[in-house]
Amino acid sequence: MVNSVAPYEATPEHIEVERVITASICHVREGIFAQMENIRAASLRNNAIHDIHAVLLHQSGWFLHWVEGPSQSVRGLLRHLAGDPRHHSPRTVHTSQGRRILPTPWSMMMSQTTEPAAHFGHRVVSLHEQFEQGTQHAPSSVLRRLSAPMQLAQAQGLPDIEAFHRVGICAAGGNEAFEMINWLAVQLGGTVARRRFAGEQDMDGSSNSVDFMDGPHPCRMIAVARNGLAHGLRRAFLPDWPHFVMLFCGTPRFDDALMARMAAACEGLPVTPTLLGIAPDDATHQRMQDMAHGAHLAYIAANTARPDDYHAIWLAVHEQLQRAGEPPSSVWEMPRLVA
Ligand SMILES: Cc1cc2nc3c(=O)[nH]c(=O)nc-3n(C[C@H](O)[C@H](O)[C@H](O)COP(=O)(O)O)c2cc1C
């Protein structure tokens, strides 16, 4: 299924920006953490001055840099980056114009995968070739295709590799969202992928995910740390997640704080996930529903259960995915920007 309207077209109330995504080979042999910190410090100084928002991802010896801003600023930055000895062989994999997708001047991600650089490189070359031939994908889809493609064997023959159910999950009080990913991996035989995120300040958080089949449909569940909800890169991906499970614990202080974080994360997004609430009692569901309603978010009381009742959580998610039917694609009509 292709979304009929590109959700990020600039309408009169939005400033139009240029977006460019570049993949380059990392030339930092040691101390990649320290170098990412240096790049973050420089970017925080420069990007805000030039009205630029950017994301930097490091994985398997590659950098992915997604930058958005006024055309002149973006092109100036890319010229400047070409001379940075910490990377080489840049390849453009996306260019477009429209409203801003990245909500913050800087965020970055480091993947803990052990995948060899050559495998990552194959995907870059393939996407770059498609781009050169005039086909490209939405920015979030480009990042996912390169850094976290659906790799389940059962999904490989499907016509659209991006058409899989994406379900976020976050817990109000404890570590249950991450435990749910581990539980699913054990139950359904998947492996857990681990990533670390960082934002403008010290907003470091992790995000683990697991891929599995639910009947004929490939699915991915992604656990998000509470502080990770505000992260720019995370927010840029929320519109691609039709469902988001929220595990409430019944303590209003924690539950309200999580719903408030979710409302803040969704503010200004063109599309927001349906919230699937798991709460230990009806009163909590009612309060969360009211808060969600106040923030114009759809809330479903998916199950009344404790946040560590993984079987009950799974039953609720499975039921919603069955209802959803075919997983949506993230493919938009996206004309390439001519330089
Ligand atoms: C892959 C990659 C992405 C980068 N992204 C940015 C960025 O978005 N903004 C920025 O100011 N510097 C970025 N840098 C760092 C710049 O290349 C440069 O070191 C920095 O702007 C400081 O430049 P200056 O010493 O001339 O002030 C990036 C570097 C690399 C290797």
Side-chain angles (χ1 to χ4, degrees):
M1 191 178 79
V2 175
N3 290 337
S4 53
V5 180
Y8 285 107
E9 265 168 28
T11 48
E13 70 269 25
H14 302 116
I15 300 167
E16 186 156 90
V17 292
E18 187 164 324
R19 318 177 186 115
V20 179
I21 304 180
T22 312
S24 59
I25 297 175
C26 171
H27 201 244
V28 177
R29 290 288 161 256
E30 276 170 38
I32 183 67
F33 279 98
Q35 284 305 332
M36 294 282 280
E37 282 301 333
N38 288 345
I39 295 173
R40 163 156 79 174
S43 304
L44 282 177
R45 271 197 319 272
N46 299 333
N47 290 5
I49 302 170
H50 297 105
D51 209 12
I52 281 182
H53 289 186
V55 158
L56 182 63
L57 194 141
H58 179 266
Q59 181 169 333
S60 299
W62 283 79
F63 282 125
L64 278 178
H65 188 227
W66 169 2
V67 54
E68 298 183 349
S71 282
Q72 274 199 328
S73 304
V74 168
R75 288 170 194 217
L77 174 63
L78 294 181
R79 274 195 301 276
H80 187 59
L81 291 190
D84 192 316
R86 288 170 290 194
H87 69 158
H88 62 85
S89 313
R91 288 184 180 84
T92 308
V93 284
H94 177 96
T95 58
S96 61
Q97 268 174 331
R99 65 185 269 200
R100 263 189 211 284
I101 299 177
L102 297 176
T104 55
W106 183 255
S107 46
M108 58 191 192
M109 192 195 92
M110 298 186 74
S111 169
Q112 281 146 297
T113 171
T114 52
E115 186 186 41
H119 291 194
F120 192 95
H122 274 306
R123 296 198 291 276
V124 172
V125 169
S126 149
L127 219 60
H128 176 67
E129 276 172 12
Q130 286 181 39
F131 173 79
E132 289 286 298
Q133 286 157 15
T135 302
Q136 71 169 350
H137 310 284
S140 55
S141 175
V142 168
L143 254 68
R144 205 167 27 244
R145 283 165 195 264
L146 291 178
S147 81
M150 171 53 71
Q151 279 175 328
L152 282 181
Q154 301 94 311
Q156 297 311 308
L158 299 175
D160 178 356
I161 195 67
E162 273 277 277
F164 56 89
H165 286 301
R166 290 179 265 278
V167 184
I169 183 167
C170 191
N175 202 30
E176 295 91 349
F178 286 81
E179 288 303 329
M180 180 68 197
I181 299 298
N182 295 337
W183 185 89
L184 271 178
V186 170
Q187 295 293 313
L188 305 170
T191 25
V192 177
R194 297 170 208 282
R195 298 189 156 71
R196 288 198 60 78
F197 288 81
E200 282 97 346
Q201 290 102 31
D202 52 351
M203 240 177 13
D204 295 318
S206 45
S207 173
N208 295 356
S209 64
V210 62
D211 292 344
F212 55 92
M213 295 299 286
D214 185 28
H217 301 312
C219 308
R220 172 171 297 166
M221 189 179 271
I222 311 113
V224 179
R226 284 179 286 283
N227 61 355
L229 272 174
H231 190 276
L233 188 53
R234 173 59 57 236
R235 288 173 63 195
F237 276 84
L238 278 180
D240 286 2
W241 299 1
H243 298 101
F244 199 108
V245 182
M246 301 183 76
L247 304 179
F248 298 113
C249 57
T251 306
R253 188 161 54 95
F254 294 133
D255 293 342
D256 294 4
L258 179 63
M259 186 56 91
R261 279 180 192 267
M262 178 57 89
C266 288
E267 202 180 324
L269 299 182
V271 185
T272 52
T274 296
L275 307 179
L276 305 180
I278 306 287
D281 51 71
D282 291 343
T284 303
H285 273 310
Q286 191 57 56
R287 222 182 45 260
M288 293 303 107
Q289 178 132 37
D290 292 347
M291 274 185 85
H293 186 74
H296 307 289
L297 297 172
Y299 182 90
I300 294 176
N303 212 342
T304 301
R306 285 163 44 94
D308 62 353
D309 186 344
Y310 304 117
H311 186 66
I313 299 167
W314 166 242
L315 285 181
V317 171
H318 172 69
E319 191 188 322
Q320 294 301 326
L321 294 184
Q322 294 260 297
R323 261 191 220 161
E326 286 289 319
S329 174
S330 63
V331 177
W332 307 339
E333 287 297 323
M334 179 146 289
R336 194 183 131 175
L337 183 68
V338 182

